[in-house]
């Protein structure tokens, strides 16, 4: 019995080994990605479209569950088994891969000139000399709302924060709907859909973001305290037990028609399209007072680079160059409404809600999340701190002043311009 | 050892080598070597390009000396201790009780109970985490409805989301999953007790409670000690459940952060925090030292003494 | 007559009440997942405690999951990796445990501690070195790689528990055998192994659990679709349709059922093992 089992092991090894060597083709590419949600779109739309141009290159989309992506990818890169194309997170995570020699410099890649400097900035060295990933898409923050509930209650889309607060109060007083669908159990919702969503209106987008990097403003300044104060007001309008509510709970709360307003990332549109059976729309983060300039978080989120150890670099470059064309931008933006192409090609976005999101690029000023560039390089890590304090402010366990002070103190511990 | 042959080859206890070799070889190659190779990193520091250079005990000084690092480390250590205490106070006594009941003579449905109670242990933490989040979720209202039936609906709180209740709630979920392990270990030990010992007492008119307390329990003390040390080791190495339910940032406000999640975050990084194999290896080495202290205490303090008295 | 002996402080009814109550507590959450996986989405939310009715019954989750994954292959991969690992661990683990618990030789205690180190360090720490080793052996994307790593990973606990049980075996049995001239191998295979069957069955069960449920090593050592295990396959689904409760619950149900079936089959063997060990 035992012998049989052991010889089965050996046999399994041999069989699988043979299978491996037989599968080696001349040009095949494997894409490492955390976007397992998009597997269908890659397999059914993007890769077939690429193969129309390059039928000789076999492409496999091999996603990892998002939570394990960074860890798994790093292990595979170190062990030399990672795929040829690597999906890049913005800023330091990818910069680190480049510095360690895992990503190639794409400066001379055909098609790279189809991207603006701003689009490329998330995947460049600090001096801007080397670009190591081809930008794919950005995501925009804002609020998605249930149009039917708004009609039922008789409220208009709020433009200012006082209007916003009136609206949620009215929903709470007059109906049984949850005014704001958000939970703090996952923490990132609080930071990303809360702080980074409404904050740019207070710290004036890029102006404030750069001022903190330069050391001219502090994260404990008025603008940041006010951001937290605004968030603190939300807690009376969030669902029962929001402290234990996770991101999927939040999404379900909204798509089942039980909540009126959903602080959103544009990527949610795809999910909502397939799950909500009511009409929904979107509005940009309300400004503090009538007439204020509006700012939106238009965050460079995802890009693709080449594994420096890949034996198929030529094929990989062909794939990336194809990704820089308008054809890819068109397929990508329209199969994944809510991911907005970063290329300079004019793309007609067809989804109405996605259209609404992208239209804010004309009416408001764009910025990216303020903790992403440079400021999350030290210990304590600013992004982690923001998750923590934003969730605490919403939970009511920390005051807005303390939250702002904590992020500033953490930054001042290691970031020279803020010391 | 008792061989009749002579000469060196004959005296060398070949059978011991044969018994040990396969396990020692595979274990050394696929476990000890990779672990040592990684622990070595705790004495190095890496620059931006990933090149490492010898740093002595600098990483240890950072973790235990730097206020930021020390606070995280001590917080994780403390939470881990709470996690362990909940297991010791709930999981092992319940396991003992169930095993004692299951080992009662002439119990009907014995194997059915044992099989069914052990089932949660077979499931992956992904499933366990998901199920309990659904049950405790205020949105689904399952626990709220149940509490309503027994008239305790006012007691309901979002336990998994509050700083003061999240850790204990997670510990109890873990207890729920793993109670089968102490149960089955203790049960197996109870079965090893020769029946003539208990039969004699039964003839003397002792009841089951008396037999358990005065005859069986002293005999299974070594097993209970083993279960305790295994709980200790498993708890201080725990990771999966917290990670599945709370993520690597172990919120709210790090109230569920234990050594395993701290190690993961440090070693592999998290979101914008870059992973540091050198610091991660240092955290892992400290975890190892904590566990080793417990194991040595068991081996030399508890196990030897127990053997002397119990056998 | 049979139950009369269960006197104070608990009657037979009391014993069954406790065991029964705990059984319900253990099974109810599992039941909840399975019951809800057969309901349509709105019904899951409207009344999660209700059983599926004619109105709310839906198989949509299963259709989605089965339509998009090679469930059978994943099942086969998980089964072969787990069972082969189990067989190897139990055999060589019991051998080593016997050597460590029975024979007095130089360095015995040290070797015992050495064999336990493996459970004191988070195994993920060694992942990069393990991956490099597997690459050097040219075993990436094979089930052999998983078996080797899982055997190494499971040995410490198996040896630890088995040697604990072997120490409790009365010495006169062994001495009697030795006087009869039975070889050390004969003593181990014919006397000791049958005696510790309950312990072996026990160790077998919880060696199997972490291997079956492991996500990490399949992910980095054998992520190819041909070698993916059921846990890896299911995890892809939970990530993919995280808000689609139908699919989530269906894939969870499909991950639970094989384990439970295997366990039920094994537990018959297990019971036989345990009872025959006890009777002696």
């Amino acid at each position: 019995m035992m012998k049989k089992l052991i010889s089965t092991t050996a046999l399994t090894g041999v069989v699988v080994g043979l299978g491996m060597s037989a599968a080696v083709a001349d040009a095949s590419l494997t894409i490492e990605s955390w976007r397992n949600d998009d597997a269908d779109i890659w397999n059914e739309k993007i890769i077939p479209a690429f193969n129309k141009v390059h039928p000789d290159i076999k492409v496999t989309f091999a996603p990892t569950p998002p939570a394990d992506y960074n860890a798994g990818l790093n292990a595979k890169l170190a062990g030399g088994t990672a795929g040829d194309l690597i999906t890049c997170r913005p800023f330091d995570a990818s910069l680190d891969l480049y510095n360690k020699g895992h990503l190639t410099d794409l400066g001379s890649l055909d098609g790279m000139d189809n991207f603006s400097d701003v689009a490329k900035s998330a995947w460049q060295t600090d001096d801007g000399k080397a670009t190591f990933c081809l930008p794919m898409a950005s995501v925009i923050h804002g609020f998605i709302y249930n149009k039917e509930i708004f009609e039922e209650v008789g409220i208009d889309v709020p433009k200012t924060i006082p209007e916003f607060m009136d609206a949620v109060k009215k929903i709470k007083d007059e109906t049984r709907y949850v005014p704001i669908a958000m939970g703090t159990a996952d923490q990132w919702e609080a930071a990303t859909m809360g702080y980074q969503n409404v904050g740019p209106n207070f710290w004036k987008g890029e102006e404030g973001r750069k001022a903190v990097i330069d050391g001219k403003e502090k994260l404990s300044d008025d603008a940041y305290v006010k951001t937290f104060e605004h968030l603190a007001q939300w807690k009376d309008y969030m669902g029962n037990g929001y402290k234990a509510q996770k991101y999927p709970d939040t999404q379900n709360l909204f798509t089942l028609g039980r909540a009126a307003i959903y602080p959103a990332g544009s990527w949610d549109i795809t999910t909502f399209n397939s799950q909500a059976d009511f009409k929904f729309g979107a509005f940009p983060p309300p400004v503090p007072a009538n007439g204020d300039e509006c700012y939106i978080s238009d965050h460079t989120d995802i890009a693709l680079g080449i594994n420096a150890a890949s034996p198929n670099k030529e094929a990989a470059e062909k794939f990336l160059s194809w990704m820089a064309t308008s054809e890819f931008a068109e397929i990508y933006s329209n199969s994944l409404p809510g991911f907005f192409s970063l290329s300079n090609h004019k793309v007609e976005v067809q989804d109405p809600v996605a259209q609404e999101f992208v239209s804010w690029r004309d009416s408001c000023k764009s910025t990216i999340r303020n903790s992403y560039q440079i400021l999350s390089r030290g210990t304590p890590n600013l992004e982690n701190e923001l998750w923590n304090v934003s969730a605490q402010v919403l939970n009511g366990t920390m005051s807005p002043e303390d939250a702002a002070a904590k992020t500033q103190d953490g930054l001042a511990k290691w970031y020279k311009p803020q010391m | 050892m008792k061989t009749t042959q002579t000469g060196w080859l004959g005296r060398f206890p070949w059978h011991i080598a044969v018994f040990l070799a396969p396990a020692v070889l595979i274990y050394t190659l696929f476990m000890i070597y990779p672990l040592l190779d990684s622990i070595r990193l705790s004495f190095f520091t890496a620059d931006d390009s990933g090149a490492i250079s010898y740093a002595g005990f600098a990483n240890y000084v950072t973790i235990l000396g730097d206020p930021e690092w020390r606070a995280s480390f001590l917080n994780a250590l403390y939470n881990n201790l709470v996690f362990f205490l909940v297991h010791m106070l709930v999981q092992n006594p319940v396991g003992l009780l169930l095993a004692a009941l299951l080992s009662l003579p002439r119990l009907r449905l014995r194997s059915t109970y044992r099989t069914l109670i052990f089932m949660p242990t077979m499931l992956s933490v992904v499933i366990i985490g998901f199920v309990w989040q659904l049950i405790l979720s205020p949105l689904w209202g399952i626990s709220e409805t149940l509490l309503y039936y027994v008239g305790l609906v006012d007691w309901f709180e979002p336990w998994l989301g509050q700083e003061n209740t999240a850790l204990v709630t997670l510990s109890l979920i873990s207890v729920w999953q793993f109670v089968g392990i102490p149960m089955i270990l203790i049960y197996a030990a109870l079965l090893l007790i020769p029946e003539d010992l208990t039969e004699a007492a039964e003839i003397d008119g002792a009841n089951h409670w008396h037999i358990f307390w005065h005859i069986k329990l002293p005999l299974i003390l070594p097993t209970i000690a083993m279960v305790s040390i295994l709980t200790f080791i498993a708890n201080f190495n725990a990771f999966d459940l917290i990670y599945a339910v709370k993520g690597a940032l172990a919120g709210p406000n790090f109230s569920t952060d234990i050594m395993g999640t701290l190690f993961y975050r440090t070693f592999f990084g998290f979101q914008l925090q870059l992973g540091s194999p050198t610091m991660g290896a240092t955290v892992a080495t400290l975890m190892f030292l904590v566990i080793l202290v417990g194991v040595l205490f068991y081996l030399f303090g508890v196990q030897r003494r127990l053997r002397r008295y119990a056998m | 007559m049979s139950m009369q002996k269960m006197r104070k402080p608990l009657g037979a009814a009391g014993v069954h009440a406790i065991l029964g109550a705990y059984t319900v507590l253990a099974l109810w959450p599992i039941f909840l997942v399975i019951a809800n996986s057969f309901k349509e989405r709105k019904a899951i939310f409207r009344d999660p405690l209700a059983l599926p009715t004619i109105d709310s019954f839906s198989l949509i989750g299963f259709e989605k999951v089965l339509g998009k994954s090679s469930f059978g292959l994943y099942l086969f991969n998980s089964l072969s990796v787990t069972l082969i690992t189990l067989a190897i661990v139990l055999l060589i683990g019991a051998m080593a445990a016997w050597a460590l618990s029975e024979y007095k030789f130089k360095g015995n205690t040290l070797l015992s501690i050495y064999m336990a180190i493996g459970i004191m360090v988070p195994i993920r720490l060694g992942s990069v070195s393990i991956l490099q080793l597997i690459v050097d052996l040219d075993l990436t994307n094979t089930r052999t790689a998983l078996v080797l790593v899982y055997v190494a990973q499971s040995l410490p606990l198996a040896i630890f528990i088995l040697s604990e049980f072997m120490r409790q075996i009365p010495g006169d049995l062994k001495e009697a055998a030795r006087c009869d001239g039975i070889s050390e191998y004969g003593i181990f295979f014919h006397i000791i192994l049958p005696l510790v069957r309950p312990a072996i069955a026990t160790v077998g069960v919880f060696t199997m659990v972490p291997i079956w449920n492991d996500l990490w090593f399949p992910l980095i050592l054998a992520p190819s679709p041909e070698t993916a295990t059921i846990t890896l396959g299911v995890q892809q689904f939970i990530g993919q349709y995280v808000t689609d409760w139908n699919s989530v619950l269906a894939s969870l149900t499909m991950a639970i059922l094989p384990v439970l079936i295997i366990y039920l089959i094994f537990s018959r063997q297990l019971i036989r093992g345990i009872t025959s060990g006890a009777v002696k």
Side-chain angles (χ1 to χ4, degrees):
Chain A
M1 167 73 172
M2 204 62 73
K3 262 188 197 150
K4 205 171 144 196
L5 278 172
I6 292 170
S7 62
T8 316
T9 332
L11 196 68
T12 313
V14 172
V15 171
V16 175
L18 285 175
M20 279 285 293
S21 52
V24 175
D26 1 328
S28 72
L29 297 172
T30 304
I31 303 175
E32 299 277 354
S33 173
W34 70 87
R35 293 290 310 166
N36 52 1
D37 294 19
D38 307 347
D40 291 349
I41 284 150
W42 279 88
N43 291 329
E44 285 156 23
K45 292 188 177 161
I46 299 175
I47 295 172
F50 171 73
N51 280 340
K52 270 187 199 147
V53 195
H54 296 280
D56 50 324
I57 301 174
K58 184 181 178 294
V59 186
T60 314
F61 185 70
T64 303
D68 286 309
Y69 178 71
N70 289 17
L73 177 67
N74 277 311
K76 284 193 255 183
L77 283 169
T81 58
D84 310 273
L85 292 162
I86 312 263
T87 307
C88 303
R89 305 245 188 219
F91 296 106
D92 286 7
S94 297
L95 178 62
D96 183 54
L97 294 181
Y98 175 73
N99 284 337
K100 288 186 175 145
H102 293 311
L103 292 174
T104 57
D105 184 357
L106 299 177
S108 54
L109 184 87
D110 263 358
M112 200 50 129
D113 43 355
N114 289 338
F115 297 90
S116 70
D117 288 344
V118 180
K120 286 188 276 194
S121 68
W123 296 282
Q124 284 179 328
T125 45
D126 286 354
D127 56 18
K129 280 193 183 130
T131 308
F132 39 80
C133 299
L134 184 95
M136 281 166 72
S138 71
V139 291
I140 298 176
H141 283 301
F143 293 81
I144 293 179
Y145 67 100
N146 184 323
K147 281 189 173 167
E148 291 168 15
I149 297 181
F150 268 48
E151 247 164 63
E152 188 187 323
V153 187
I155 39 181
D156 294 326
V157 166
K159 295 200 170 50
T160 63
I161 285 176
E163 282 173 29
F164 179 84
M165 295 315 299
D166 286 347
V168 291
K169 188 165 186 307
K170 194 152 189 245
I171 297 165
K172 189 184 179 184
D173 290 347
E174 296 176 11
T175 70
R176 292 184 61 228
Y177 298 116
V178 173
I180 302 175
M182 185 192 255
T184 56
D186 283 334
Q187 301 185 79
W188 69 265
E189 273 185 273
T192 313
M193 315 287 225
Y195 186 83
Q196 302 287 7
N197 185 357
V198 300
N201 275 329
F202 290 98
W203 64 69
K204 305 207 177 307
E206 284 294 279
E207 202 182 312
R209 185 178 79 83
K210 293 210 161 115
V212 174
I213 293 175
D214 296 339
K216 288 182 201 134
E217 278 180 21
K218 289 181 172 14
L219 287 177
S220 52
D221 286 351
D222 213 30
Y224 301 90
V225 178
K226 283 204 168 122
T227 305
F228 282 121
E229 276 171 355
H230 176 44
L231 283 187
Q233 287 180 302
W234 289 13
K235 65 170 178 286
D236 299 330
Y237 302 98
M238 286 157 58
N240 180 20
Y242 66 90
K243 291 175 191 174
Q245 181 178 325
K246 312 245 306 178
Y247 178 55
D249 295 329
T250 309
Q251 289 178 310
N252 273 309
L253 193 63
F254 185 75
T255 54
L256 287 164
R258 290 212 226 153
I261 299 173
Y262 176 96
S266 51
W267 65 84
D268 286 314
I269 296 171
T270 321
T271 318
F272 290 0
N273 276 340
S274 66
Q275 292 187 0
D277 51 8
F278 51 84
K279 288 201 183 76
F280 58 90
F283 60 87
V287 292
N290 230 333
D292 283 357
E293 176 125 44
C294 63
Y295 297 85
I296 54 162
S297 166
D298 181 0
H299 190 70
T300 44
D301 187 55
I302 182 168
L304 202 65
I306 299 178
N307 180 355
S310 162
N312 305 310
K313 279 203 193 103
E314 221 170 291
E317 280 175 14
K318 277 186 196 156
F319 189 82
L320 285 190
S321 294
W322 176 76
M323 282 181 61
T325 62
S326 59
E327 188 189 359
F328 174 81
E330 182 78 41
I331 298 176
Y332 194 75
S333 305
N334 280 317
S335 351
L336 289 168
F339 284 90
F340 302 106
S341 168
L342 283 165
S343 68
N344 296 332
H345 304 293
K346 268 274 171 235
V347 176
E348 194 66 44
V349 178
Q350 273 140 25
D351 183 90
V353 182
Q355 231 171 42
E356 170 72 30
F357 267 94
V358 83
S359 74
W360 305 336
R361 279 183 177 166
D362 300 327
S363 51
C364 304
K365 287 188 169 172
S366 293
T367 181
I368 59 170
R369 296 179 199 152
N370 67 352
S371 51
Y372 271 61
Q373 193 177 23
I374 300 173
L375 298 182
S376 285
R377 274 181 197 173
T379 309
N381 182 283
L382 178 61
E383 176 73 359
N384 290 359
E385 295 247 291
L386 279 176
W387 288 26
N388 184 349
V389 298
S390 303
Q392 287 208 63
V393 165
L394 282 167
N395 283 349
T397 52
M398 190 180 247
S399 75
E401 293 77 18
D402 290 350
K406 183 157 191 233
T407 53
Q408 174 61 26
D409 290 351
L411 195 58
K413 272 187 191 131
W414 62 271
Y415 187 56
K416 290 232 166 61
Q418 288 287 0
M419 280 183 182
Chain B
M1 281 165 91
K2 296 184 178 65
T3 44
T4 49
Q5 289 143 312
T6 48
W8 186 84
L9 271 180
R11 260 175 295 141
F12 184 78
W14 280 106
H15 55 277
I16 300 184
V18 170
F19 280 133
L20 284 170
V24 172
L25 281 180
I26 295 189
Y27 170 74
T28 305
L29 186 59
F30 290 96
M31 188 96 192
I32 295 297
Y33 160 72
L35 287 178
L36 281 185
D37 192 43
S38 308
I39 277 187
R40 180 179 62 92
L41 289 174
S42 68
F43 298 103
F44 287 81
T45 179
D47 65 9
D48 281 350
S49 68
I52 54 170
S53 53
Y54 184 71
F57 283 90
N59 294 333
Y60 293 89
V61 172
T62 307
I63 289 187
L64 300 174
D66 178 83
E68 202 70 38
W69 277 103
R70 190 175 55 210
S72 318
F73 182 78
L74 290 179
N75 174 52
L77 193 62
Y78 172 79
N79 289 339
N80 222 147
L81 210 60
V82 174
F83 192 69
F84 169 62
L85 286 178
V86 173
H87 282 79
M88 283 302 281
L89 293 177
V90 183
Q91 174 189 285
N92 295 348
V94 171
L96 177 65
L97 172 74
L98 294 172
L101 293 181
L102 284 177
S103 69
L104 284 173
R106 292 169 288 278
L107 174 74
R108 286 185 198 192
L109 298 174
R110 181 201 315 276
S111 53
T112 311
Y113 284 131
R114 217 204 44 239
T115 306
L116 295 181
I117 291 176
F118 197 77
M119 270 192 183
T121 313
M122 308 294 298
L123 303 181
S124 96
V125 281
V126 177
I127 297 173
I128 305 284
F130 189 86
V131 176
W132 278 100
Q133 284 182 74
L134 291 189
I135 293 175
L136 298 175
S137 161
L139 282 177
W140 277 51
I142 296 177
S143 341
E144 233 174 329
T145 314
L146 288 179
L147 284 175
Y148 177 79
Y149 287 142
V150 290
L152 295 174
V153 71
D154 292 341
W155 289 21
F156 181 77
E157 284 174 57
W159 292 293
L160 274 174
Q162 300 178 135
E163 236 175 274
N164 52 348
T165 52
L167 180 63
V168 173
T169 311
L170 280 165
S171 310
L172 290 173
I173 295 175
S174 169
V175 165
W176 174 82
Q177 175 172 20
F178 290 119
V179 83
I181 288 185
M183 177 189 85
I184 208 163
L185 279 174
I186 295 170
Y187 178 67
L190 285 170
L191 289 185
L192 274 180
I193 295 173
E195 273 181 22
D196 35 344
L197 276 178
T198 50
E199 268 164 13
E202 249 174 293
I203 291 165
D204 292 346
N207 64 25
H208 286 293
W209 175 251
H210 186 88
I211 292 173
F212 176 77
W213 195 249
H214 292 283
I215 299 174
K216 288 184 176 175
L217 191 62
L219 284 173
I220 58 164
L221 274 184
T223 306
I224 292 177
M226 177 185 72
V227 165
S228 306
I229 190 65
L230 287 179
T231 308
F232 178 79
I233 294 173
N235 285 168
F236 275 83
N237 240 326
F239 164 74
D240 292 328
L241 179 69
I242 307 248
Y243 184 64
V245 176
K246 304 306 292 188
L249 219 48
N253 195 22
F254 295 107
S255 60
T256 54
D257 197 23
I258 59 173
M259 303 293 280
T261 42
L262 176 68
F263 159 72
Y264 184 90
R265 223 171 40 241
T266 315
F267 191 80
F268 293 110
F270 183 68
Q271 277 304 101
L272 302 188
Q273 178 189 338
L274 293 179
S276 162
T278 54
M279 288 305 273
T282 314
V283 174
T285 310
L286 290 170
M287 284 168 77
F288 168 65
L289 292 177
V290 169
I291 296 175
L292 189 65
V293 168
V295 171
L296 291 178
F297 171 75
Y298 164 76
L299 283 179
F300 295 104
V302 181
Q303 198 192 36
R304 297 211 164 164
R305 197 155 304 166
L306 273 180
R307 187 140 296 126
R308 208 174 308 141
Y309 294 127
M311 297 310 282
Chain C
M1 177 69 203
S2 68
M3 280 291 176
Q4 260 178 1
K5 285 206 168 177
M6 300 217 175
R7 292 175 288 233
K8 296 163 269 178
L10 283 170
V15 171
H16 282 287
I18 295 178
L19 290 173
Y22 200 87
T23 307
V24 170
L25 178 65
L27 293 188
W28 176 67
I30 303 173
F31 168 77
L32 206 60
V33 170
I34 298 177
N36 277 299
S37 70
F38 290 100
K39 281 154 66 173
E40 53 130 3
R41 180 159 168 266
K42 292 217 161 161
I44 298 175
F45 279 85
R46 207 171 36 235
D47 192 357
L49 289 171
L51 286 171
T53 61
I54 298 171
D55 287 341
S56 64
F57 183 79
S58 159
L59 285 174
I60 179 141
F62 291 93
E63 283 160 20
K64 280 189 199 168
V65 175
L66 283 174
K68 284 192 183 160
S69 61
S70 341
F71 199 78
L73 178 66
Y74 297 160
L75 184 63
F76 172 75
N77 288 336
S78 277
L79 272 179
S80 51
V81 167
T82 309
L83 295 183
I84 293 168
T85 306
L86 207 56
I88 299 176
V89 167
L90 292 181
L91 176 67
I92 71 177
M95 282 161 55
W98 169 245
L100 289 173
S101 60
E102 172 64 12
Y103 305 115
K104 291 193 178 63
F105 57 92
K106 234 181 171 180
N108 182 318
T109 312
L110 225 75
L111 193 60
S112 298
I113 296 176
Y114 175 78
M115 294 306 288
I117 286 176
I119 41 174
M120 300 186 228
V121 187
I123 179 72
R124 285 184 180 220
L125 172 68
S127 7
V128 172
S129 307
I130 291 177
L131 179 57
Q132 275 160 352
L133 196 63
I134 296 295
V135 171
D136 290 344
L137 295 171
D138 204 12
L139 288 175
T140 41
N141 280 325
T142 63
R143 279 159 288 197
T144 315
L146 292 177
V147 169
L148 287 170
V149 172
Y150 288 147
V151 168
Q153 188 189 325
S154 314
L155 276 173
L157 193 63
I159 293 176
F160 194 83
I161 296 174
L162 288 175
S163 52
E164 199 61 44
F165 276 90
M166 284 172 178
R167 282 196 192 99
Q168 295 177 20
I169 294 172
D172 37 355
L173 274 174
K174 298 172 265 185
E175 292 316 317
R178 286 201 178 105
C179 289
D180 291 348
I182 300 176
S183 75
E184 292 298 321
Y185 302 107
I187 293 177
F188 173 72
F189 283 106
H190 297 301
I191 298 174
I192 303 305
L193 272 191
L195 270 181
V196 292
R197 240 143 81 179
I200 289 190
T202 310
V203 169
V205 168
F206 48 80
T207 297
M208 171 178 162
V209 177
I211 297 173
W212 182 273
N213 292 327
D214 185 45
L215 174 67
W216 178 245
F217 284 110
L219 191 69
I220 65 163
L221 298 181
S224 76
E226 295 79 38
T227 53
T229 60
I230 211 163
T231 309
L232 186 60
V234 164
Q235 181 67 29
Q236 301 281 16
F237 258 90
I238 294 182
Q240 205 161 331
Y241 297 104
V242 73
T243 47
D244 183 348
W245 294 131
N246 290 110
S247 300
V248 172
L249 290 168
S251 41
L252 290 181
T253 300
M254 295 182 53
I256 292 175
L257 288 181
V259 191
L260 295 193
I261 291 167
I262 294 166
Y263 174 61
L264 287 178
I265 295 169
F266 264 84
S267 67
R268 286 181 175 276
Q269 306 291 333
L270 220 149
I271 290 159
R272 211 170 295 148
I274 289 180
T275 41
S276 64
V279 172
K280 288 182 198 135

